[in-house]
Every structure is written in C-alpha cells, then in structure tokens.
C-alpha cells in the first residue's frame, strides 16, 4: 500500500511545464531492482516532447496496471537489466492488455530479457503476447527505440481507443 501511495504522490506532483505529446509510463518490472536504465529511458523519451511518469524499480504488477489505467498513457515502456524481462514481461503484458482502456496503448519492453544469449529469438513471443516493440540489449539500438517513439501517433488518446496504432 505504501508503494501505491508513493506512486500516486509522484504522479500528482509531476506535471509538465509545457504542452506535451502525452504521458509515457516508464517502469521496471517486479523482479528488477535496476534504475539507471529507467532514468536514461525517461530522458530519451522526454526529448521527444513527452511527459514521463517513471515508476522506478521493483514495481509490483498491480501497481503498474492500476497506475496505467488511471493515467491512460500514450506509451508504456518497460525496462529490464536482471535478465528476467521475458518472464516478467509476459506476465505483466497479459494483465495490461486485459484492461479495456489499455488495449490500444502501445507497449514496449527492452533491455536484458533473458539470462542466456538468445534474446533475439524472444521478440516473436513477446510481440505475440501483446508488446508492440521489443528492444533486446544486444540485438537493438537506441536509434531503433528512438524511431519507435518518434513514430507514435500524436492524435488525441480517445481516437486511439478505436484500435491499435499501426
């Protein structure tokens, strides 16, 4: 409960100083205690004109889902460093996609997605599970992620609810 209150406080206090393209939720996964990757993602995404709510590390699935439902973000970006991104990602994307208000929300995952060296082979599985982009640490570049963010639609969120953005 304390974690949920911390998140709510951060969301309420963090307001963009100028108009933005929308709000992006950046989050670690429940088993991942790393934060520098999330700070880097936040800075990169803010450069594209988005307001970012960074939930930090070790975010319980319930907190991530409820925060995203309340915010209705333009993008959900999940980062992993500990090598369990695939396992945690498959679990949490199913929960996020079960929410009617998040069905059309673009969702990406990246970083160290497995403890083995076969991260490139995980993309089809993660995409089939509901992610719109998969950016494994050794098989993708910052430029590929930046291109994904830059290509996000700028239409009002209510227009996106009719279907997943192409």
């Amino acid at each position: 409960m304390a974690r949920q209150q911390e998140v709510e406080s951060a969301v309420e206090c963090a307001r963009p100083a100028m108009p933005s393209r929308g709000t992006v939720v950046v989050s670690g996964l429940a088993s991942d205690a790393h934060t520098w990757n999330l700070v880097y993602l936040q800075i990169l995404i803010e450069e594209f004109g988005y307001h970012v709510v960074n939930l930090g590390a070790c975010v319980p699935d319930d907190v991530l889902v409820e925060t995203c439902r309340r915010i209705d973000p333009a993008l959900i970006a999940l980062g992993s460093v500990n090598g369990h991104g695939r396992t945690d990602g498959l679990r949490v994307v199913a929960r996020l996609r079960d929410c009617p208000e998040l069905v059309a929300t673009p969702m990406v995952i990246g970083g160290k997605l497995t403890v083995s060296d076969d991260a490139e082979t995980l993309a089809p599985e993660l995409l089939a599970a509901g992610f719109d982009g998969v950016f494994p640490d050794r098989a993708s570049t910052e430029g590929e992620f930046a291109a994904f963010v830059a290509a996000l639609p700028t239409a009002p969120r209510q227009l996106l609810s009719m279907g997943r953005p192409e």
Side-chain angles (χ1 to χ4, degrees), residues 4-121:
Q4 180 69 33
Q5 291 172 335
E6 289 174 23
V7 169
E8 288 176 13
S9 177
V11 169
E12 293 305 315
C13 292
R15 294 286 173 226
M18 58 185 201
S20 75
R21 292 182 66 186
T23 299
V24 172
V25 171
V26 168
S27 182
L29 297 158
S31 72
D32 200 317
H34 296 87
T35 57
W36 284 111
N37 59 318
L38 305 174
V39 171
Y40 181 77
L41 278 175
Q42 177 178 345
I43 292 167
L44 179 63
I45 293 167
E46 286 173 341
E47 288 179 359
F48 284 93
Y50 288 94
H51 169 68
V52 175
V53 174
N54 188 336
L55 300 181
C58 296
V59 179
D61 294 357
D62 290 340
V63 172
L64 176 61
V65 170
E66 289 309 311
T67 302
C68 290
R69 289 181 71 201
R70 190 175 69 256
I71 291 174
D72 189 26
L75 171 67
I76 299 169
L78 305 176
S80 176
V81 175
N82 70 355
H84 300 288
R86 175 194 168 272
T87 304
D88 288 349
L90 289 172
R91 184 186 65 248
V92 78
V93 76
R95 299 230 12 231
L96 290 163
R97 290 293 184 210
D98 280 344
C99 302
E101 59 269 57
L102 300 174
V103 168
T105 303
M107 296 180 200
V108 298
I109 189 167
K112 187 162 175 57
L113 302 176
T114 180
V115 294
S116 65
D117 289 331
D118 64 349
E120 302 85 23
T121 64

Side-chain angles (χ1 to χ4, degrees), residues 132-148:
D132 298 288
V134 178
F135 302 94
D137 62 347
R138 294 184 186 186
S140 60
T141 66
E142 173 189 325
E144 291 169 327
F145 177 72
F148 183 93

